[in-house]
Structure formats: structure tokens, C-alpha cells
């Protein structure tokens, strides 16, 4: 048996340094409303539903209270969708995101392996808008917070969880903010 020097363990490549010019005027909170297409689809489905429900309630001589409660329940879904917005906040400890009023989550910076800027098509890649799991195509297996089609960031994770895709108006700036904080977290460790 021969004594050999142990082979060094391969270390992952460090995250690339972000552009300091991009970080100077970067917002602390990235907010985005759902794409207008969502509202057109909801209106196309909601208006006939309201008319039919109202006609059925009149045909069965439903009282005014029943009509108000039923119509209020039917109109609740489009109202929530009108209020829905995707918020992304890179704070000092974690990348936090929420899809108000439905979903909220975060990821620690030390669990981020890399960030890349990508383009997504909401219907093609995620079959819609909102918090979604992609089941096909190039995004298969990723979890997305999808408010619209267009620019997004894809976050590769070291904690064996699914990659995260988040749409935003300025994905380059958000990616730079995340990299800045992730590098700071790795160098502090």
C-alpha cells in the first residue's frame, strides 16, 4: 500500500461579482401586478357565470340575502385577482417573495448556487400565472412565481430544492442584488 497525497475536493465556482453601478439606484422592493391577459380571461368566464347564477336565483325565488351572499362569493375571485401582485424583496438575510394575497416564501442566500436572467412565457412554460410548478418544456421541474410573460430570474439552489423562477420588471438589477447579498453571505461564512 502506498501513501498518496489526498486529492483536493472540487469547490464550486464562486458566484460572479455584481455590477456596482446597477446596485446604486436599485429598488429595495420589486412589485408587479398580474398580466392584463389574466383579467380578460377572468372577465370572459365571470360575466356569463354571474348572469346564469342571477337567472337561476330569480327562477327559484331566492331571497335578497341569498342573492347578495351568492353574488358576493362569485365576485370575490376576480376581486382577489385584481389585488394580486408579486412582491420580491432582497433583504439582508434572505430573498423574500410573496404573491399577495395567496402565497409567501423565502430562500436563504447561502442556499443560492447561482442566478441567471431568462425569458419566460407564462402559458407555454407554466400553463398560467401565479405560484406554479412547471411540468414540461425547458422549465420542467422549476417552481415559478409568475406574474407575466417576459424577463425573469432563475435561482439555482444548493439545498436540493427545486430551482425558483421569479418574473420581474428589471431582472438584471434583481439578479445583481441577489448576487451581491449571496456573495456577502458566502464571504462572511
Amino acid at each position: 500500500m502506498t501513501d498518496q497525497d489526498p486529492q483536493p475536493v472540487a469547490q464550486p465556482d464562486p458566484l460572479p461579482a455584481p455590477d456596482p453601478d446597477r446596485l446604486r439606484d436599485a429598488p429595495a422592493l420589486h412589485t408587479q401586478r398580474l398580466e392584463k391577459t389574466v383579467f380578460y380571461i377572468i372577465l370572459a368566464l365571470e360575466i356569463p357565470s354571474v348572469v346564469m347564477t342571477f337567472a337561476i336565483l330569480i327562477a327559484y325565488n331566492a331571497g335578497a340575502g341569498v342573492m347578495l351572499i351568492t353574488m358576493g362569493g362569485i365576485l370575490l375571485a376576480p376581486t382577489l385577482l385584481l389585488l394580486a401582485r408579486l412582491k420580491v424583496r432582497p433583504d439582508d438575510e434572505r430573498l423574500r417573495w410573496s404573491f399577495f394575497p395567496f402565497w409567501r416564501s423565502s430562500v436563504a442566500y447561502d442556499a443560492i448556487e447561482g442566478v441567471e436572467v431568462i425569458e419566460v412565457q407564462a402559458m407555454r412554460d407554466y400553463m398560467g400565472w401565479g405560484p406554479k410548478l412547471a411540468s414540461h418544456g425547458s422549465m420542467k421541474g422549476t417552481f415559478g412565481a409568475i406574474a407575466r410573460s417576459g424577463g425573469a430570474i432563475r435561482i439555482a439552489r444548493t439545498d436540493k430544492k427545486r430551482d425558483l423562477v421569479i418574473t420581474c420588471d428589471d431582472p438584471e438589477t434583481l439578479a445583481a442584488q441577489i448576487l451581491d447579498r449571496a456573495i456577502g453571505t458566502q464571504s462572511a461564512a
Side-chain angles (χ1 to χ4, degrees):
M1 227 171 143
T2 62
D3 287 23
Q4 294 181 352
D5 292 331
Q7 295 294 326
V9 176
Q11 296 295 322
D13 292 335
L15 295 172
D19 180 8
D21 293 334
R22 184 172 290 284
L23 296 175
R24 187 175 310 121
D25 298 320
L29 177 67
H30 301 262
T31 304
Q32 178 177 48
R33 289 187 177 267
L34 283 176
E35 194 167 19
K36 288 183 181 180
T37 307
V38 176
F39 303 117
Y40 298 141
I41 292 170
I42 294 299
L43 284 177
L45 296 174
E46 193 72 18
I47 290 172
S49 300
V50 169
V51 171
M52 288 188 323
T53 303
F54 193 65
I56 291 170
L57 290 174
I58 290 174
Y60 283 99
N61 293 323
V66 171
M67 282 189 183
L68 285 174
I69 290 171
T70 304
M71 298 314 268
I74 289 173
L75 296 175
L76 182 64
T79 303
L80 285 176
L81 286 174
L82 282 172
L83 296 173
R85 66 183 49 98
L86 175 60
K87 295 180 179 181
V88 183
R89 180 186 310 271
D91 65 20
D92 291 336
E93 300 170 6
R94 307 175 74 76
L95 173 66
R96 300 179 192 281
W97 62 274
S98 65
F99 222 118
F100 176 84
F102 308 109
W103 196 277
R104 181 174 36 195
S105 188
S106 67
V107 60
Y109 293 119
D110 59 359
I112 294 176
E113 183 176 349
V115 179
E116 69 177 307
V117 175
I118 61 171
E119 290 286 320
V120 296
Q121 292 295 320
M123 289 302 293
R124 180 193 68 204
D125 297 328
Y126 288 93
M127 302 298 286
W129 301 268
K132 308 286 273 181
L133 181 63
S135 60
H136 67 283
S138 64
M139 297 293 148
K140 183 176 183 174
T142 63
F143 184 82
I146 309 300
R148 60 168 176 72
S149 296
I153 59 168
R154 181 174 181 158
I155 300 171
R157 301 174 67 167
T158 61
D159 57 4
K160 304 296 183 212
K161 292 187 179 179
R162 297 180 186 276
D163 284 2
L164 175 63
V165 175
I166 301 174
T167 61
C168 55
D169 291 328
D170 188 1
E172 291 85 8
T173 300
L174 182 56
Q177 287 177 305
I178 294 168
L179 286 173
D180 183 54
R181 287 171 172 83
I183 291 170
T185 302
Q186 288 178 355
S187 62

